[in-house]
Amino acid sequence: MKTKTALRFAGGYGLSVAVSGVVSLAVIPAIIVAAGADAWATIAVAQAVAGFAFVFAVYGWGVVGPTEIASRTRAERGAYFYDSLLSRFWLCIVVVPIAIVVAIVIVGHDYALAALTVSSGVLVALGAGWFYVGEASPIRFLLIDTLPRIAGTVLGAIVLIATGDVIAFAAMQLLGVLAAAVIASWNILARHRDWRFTLSPIRAVRNLAGQASPVAMSATSSVYVNVPIVLIDLFLPQATAVYALAERIVRLALYSTRPVVQVAQGWVPNPDPVVQASRARRVTVVALGLGVLGGLVYGIAGPWIGELLSGGTLVIPFALAIPMAVNLAAILASQLTGFACLTAYGLTKPLATSTIVGAIVGTLLMYPLLLWIGAPGVAWGLGIAELCVLAVQLLSLAPRIRRRQPVGF
């Protein structure tokens, strides 16, 4: 991808990110102030359950789909998308009810809110954002995939503020997700007619062949990303709302940097190994700098941001903000070293290994640290796990980007 093309694509994609980010920020105080901290905690836990279940509903197409679409001719894209949609449809039929039951058991109350929130989070798997990324259509990504979902959230927030009905908010959000999936599917299948209608579950299962690796990697990563809030809710429920707020700020910060990752993914690969090594070095330096900067900002301003977003209802203590800052810093760096640099060299095995190492470390540390120092302990377990992920990636990347001859940096 040429630099100008990458920047144009990232600009369009970045607009989607900006719109989603602004709405997500605005919705947080709306929920906490209008519906209360308990409803916010229920939504956060249900979204964590949905985040893990989503991995099995989307079944790797979000990871491999963009590359597959980009590498196929226009005449082959419709059939590929329909096959994925067929499989994702049947997977959602199986996954959504299970995820709802799990969320209700964990939360123990607000059953309707938990069920609607889980459904919204899982059914995003029926969306087509990855297809538009693959065909380099950032405007379609914005207008067809992003805006309908955002419209549902915004309308729900307006109803919530006006009536205090958090169930209506969750229902409107679900309608937005479904609208985006239907509109996007119609748009793609109308433009690409090389597909044949079928609802065969057998064919749906056959389409899953070869997808196990990205699913396993995504599921492993999802475990230690989404389990912390569940642990908090089970063993320290009084801290759930504050921890959820601290975690949400981290996720919004990561979401806001997606365009940077997109640009780097298209810029690092180059047929000249010397040029590619030079670019990978630059991106690695940027990654580490971005991580340090993001971590410092969160560590210093996190409590103030949390208080602002919650309307003064919730306060993130520095004891929690500091490990969350470490967590954010490590992920900001590793998303660039991993998805931009390691993938450019085809080092998918070290990338998967780093994820597995992080999952093992996080799983081993979070529960003991929770019992020892409470909610900050979970954050420290997650932060240490993400530092291990970054360390594995840097060790794998170092031999490839080491300067062997004078090259302009």
Side-chain angles (χ1 to χ4, degrees):
M1 185 185 291
K2 294 181 180 179
T3 301
K4 287 184 178 179
T5 303
L7 290 172
R8 179 171 55 84
F9 176 75
Y13 184 76
L15 185 57
S16 296
V17 171
V19 171
S20 298
V22 169
V23 171
S24 297
L25 281 172
V27 163
I28 292 174
I31 296 173
I32 296 174
V33 175
D38 287 343
W40 163 251
T42 296
I43 290 173
V45 173
Q47 286 179 339
V49 174
F52 183 72
F54 167 83
V55 172
F56 298 96
V58 77
Y59 211 80
W61 270 285
V63 177
V64 302
T67 302
E68 289 290 336
I69 292 300
S71 64
R72 292 171 185 265
T73 64
R74 182 179 175 83
E76 300 172 320
R77 290 175 176 177
Y80 179 82
F81 177 78
Y82 185 81
D83 281 342
S84 80
L85 182 62
L86 176 67
S87 298
R88 288 178 286 134
F89 169 77
W90 282 106
L91 285 168
C92 283
I93 288 178
V94 175
V95 171
V96 169
I98 297 173
I100 288 174
V101 171
V102 172
I104 288 175
V105 170
I106 293 172
V107 173
H109 57 89
D110 291 337
Y111 300 151
L113 179 58
L116 288 170
T117 302
V118 166
S119 298
S120 295
V122 178
L123 291 176
V124 171
L126 295 176
W130 57 267
F131 185 96
Y132 294 129
V133 171
E135 71 170 2
S137 297
I139 300 303
R140 287 193 179 100
F141 186 99
L142 172 64
L143 298 179
I144 298 174
D145 182 76
T146 302
L147 287 187
R149 288 188 289 105
I150 293 302
T153 300
V154 170
L155 290 175
I158 292 173
V159 172
L160 173 60
I161 293 170
T163 67
D165 188 351
V166 72
I167 300 299
F169 164 77
M172 294 296 294
Q173 194 169 45
L174 175 58
L175 287 176
V177 168
L178 293 174
V182 171
I183 295 170
S185 296
W186 176 83
N187 169 262
I188 292 168
L189 297 177
R191 290 188 295 117
H192 303 275
R193 299 183 178 274
D194 54 306
W195 54 278
R196 180 175 59 84
F197 177 80
T198 178
L199 291 176
S200 169
I202 296 174
R203 180 174 168 183
V205 172
R206 287 175 180 169
N207 294 336
L208 303 181
Q211 301 279 95
S213 294
V215 173
M217 187 174 72
S218 297
T220 302
S221 175
S222 182
V223 166
Y224 72 93
V225 170
N226 293 300
V227 161
I229 188 67
V230 174
L231 280 176
I232 295 286
D233 194 63
L234 288 174
F235 297 100
L236 203 64
Q238 66 272 22
T240 301
V242 172
Y243 186 92
L245 179 60
E247 182 187 54
R248 187 57 52 88
I249 296 171
V250 169
R251 295 196 183 194
L252 289 172
L254 293 172
Y255 190 69
S256 69
T257 59
R258 282 186 182 180
V260 178
V261 179
Q262 290 290 324
V263 171
Q265 283 179 308
W267 184 68
V268 172
N270 191 280
D272 186 335
V274 176
V275 173
Q276 180 165 295
S278 175
R279 291 182 175 183
R281 281 195 300 273
R282 295 185 189 186
V283 170
T284 300
V285 171
V286 170
L288 296 175
L290 183 63
V292 171
L293 177 62
L296 286 174
V297 171
Y298 191 104
I300 296 170
W304 174 78
I305 295 171
E307 189 172 0
L308 179 66
L309 290 179
S310 67
T313 304
L314 302 174
V315 177
I316 300 172
F318 279 106
L320 179 59
I322 292 172
M324 279 294 186
V326 173
N327 176 37
L328 174 61
I331 303 178
L332 282 172
S334 65
Q335 66 180 359
L336 279 168
T337 56
F339 293 116
C341 297
L342 287 179
T343 54
Y345 285 98
L347 298 175
T348 55
K349 186 175 180 180
L351 182 60
T353 300
S354 69
T355 303
I356 293 171
V357 169
I360 292 173
V361 172
T363 302
L364 291 175
L365 290 181
M366 281 188 287
Y367 181 64
L369 290 175
L370 168 65
L371 297 180
W372 183 27
I373 55 177
V378 176
W380 274 117
L382 196 59
I384 294 170
E386 293 295 352
L387 287 174
C388 291
V389 170
L390 178 60
V392 171
Q393 292 183 3
L394 290 175
L395 288 173
S396 302
L397 188 61
R400 302 299 182 106
I401 65 174
R402 186 177 297 118
R403 192 190 299 275
R404 291 184 172 83
Q405 64 184 68
V407 178
F409 189 83

